[in-house]
Amino acid sequence: MAGKLSGKAALVTGASSGNGRAIARLFAEEGASVTVADIRDDPRMGGEPTHELITAAGGEAQYVECDVSSASDLRAAVSATVDAYGSLDIMINNAGVERQRPIEEVDEDDYDWLMDINLKGVYFGSQAAIQQMLDQDGGGVIINMSSIAGIRGLDESSLYCTSKGGVTNLTRELAVEHGENDIRVNALNPGFIETAMTMEDGETAGGILEQTPLGRAGQPEEVADAALFLASDQSSFVTGHNLVMDGGFTA
């Protein structure tokens, strides 16, 4: 039986670990050919590189080194996907970082570092994908990784909230701008997901979980399931949407 993404080519940034790794693996299981794009492919969680796990399981994948703060790297990753698989049908702008500190302690280097990855990377990743999708004249899907921090404030997170707020509204704008081209643009807004990055600060994690009605952290595989819905034809009439998956935190 064919998978939900059979015949599709997908590019996933930040796919060496965490949510991106889970998304890349699930998409490959569902029949997509996947470009794993990251600055390294030695995931912090340990284990085999993502693209090797995919190919060992019978899927099709390649690794491309990509610094998402560089627009030229993002264009090169798109080109590598098209060269290998013939098209780019799904773009997942997943790569992101976090830095918690009160605004009075943030300096310009902090700001530039985080915005270059979290917001500039999504902006120019979307641009590169849209340019290719327009050339193909067959539409496509873009999924941006936002956060609950893109729709509400969090303590000592002015940098992160600013970046993810930008991603949230960029998603809406691109959906409006390119709906006529059959390019659907949506975002995922996860709450606390158990990854190497989020578990680094146990005190913050505990505070968020105390306010989460389901009483637990989400798993990267659950984020991947939501991404699959937005990437597949099951969401063919969904665009400009920010899908909140936070265990009830924002409720």
Side-chain angles (χ1 to χ4, degrees):
M1 185 167 131
K4 293 177 181 176
L5 302 179
S6 291
K8 303 292 186 181
L11 168 57
V12 186
T13 68
S16 290
S17 61
N19 296 328
R21 182 178 172 96
I23 291 169
R25 294 186 70 181
L26 179 60
F27 280 22
E29 290 172 11
E30 290 291 337
S33 300
V34 180
T35 294
V36 172
D38 212 321
I39 55 173
R40 70 203 183 292
D41 204 18
D42 57 340
R44 285 177 291 175
M45 293 293 284
E48 297 297 317
T50 304
H51 70 290
E52 292 182 6
L53 284 171
I54 291 172
T55 55
E60 188 168 9
Q62 65 173 345
Y63 170 70
V64 173
E65 187 169 338
C66 177
D67 177 354
V68 299
S69 68
S70 164
S72 62
D73 270 21
L74 287 160
R75 290 192 296 269
V78 169
S79 295
T81 303
V82 176
D83 289 345
Y85 308 131
S87 65
L88 175 67
D89 305 295
I90 304 164
M91 178 70 175
I92 311 294
N93 290 304
N94 166 76
V97 292
E98 185 174 8
R99 179 162 290 171
Q100 263 195 313
R101 60 190 53 175
I103 191 169
E104 62 270 21
E105 296 179 11
V106 173
D107 61 30
E108 194 171 357
D109 288 341
D110 293 327
Y111 182 94
D112 289 343
W113 172 75
L114 190 139
M115 295 301 165
D116 279 353
I117 295 170
N118 285 10
L119 187 52
K120 179 184 175 183
V122 173
Y123 188 97
F124 285 101
S126 297
Q127 181 193 69
I130 287 169
Q131 288 170 335
Q132 175 59 37
M133 290 170 182
L134 292 174
D135 287 344
Q136 293 168 185
D137 196 29
V141 173
I142 297 172
I143 300 172
N144 298 324
M145 190 62 70
S146 186
S147 165
I148 54 171
I151 58 174
R152 59 153 289 173
L154 297 175
D155 188 41
E156 297 189 347
S157 297
S158 61
L159 283 173
Y160 194 63
C161 289
T162 299
S163 69
K164 294 303 184 178
V167 171
T168 293
N169 215 35
L170 174 65
T171 296
R172 297 186 184 109
E173 197 285 330
L174 293 179
V176 171
E177 187 171 329
H178 286 287
E180 65 181 9
N181 304 119
D182 200 26
I183 297 173
R184 295 192 297 110
V185 188
N186 293 293
L188 292 171
N189 295 63
F192 188 82
I193 307 298
E194 189 174 348
T195 67
M197 183 177 78
T198 61
M199 297 305 291
E200 288 174 356
D201 185 345
E203 184 176 344
T204 298
I208 292 176
L209 292 178
E210 286 177 3
Q211 300 176 63
T212 300
L214 289 186
R216 66 172 179 86
Q219 297 300 311
E221 291 75 18
E222 293 174 300
V223 177
D225 285 339
L228 176 60
F229 167 70
L230 291 177
S232 73
D233 288 341
Q234 288 184 308
S235 62
S236 57
F237 199 55
V238 179
T239 194
H241 182 64
N242 285 268
L243 177 58
V244 177
M245 42 180 312
D246 64 356
F249 180 86
T250 54

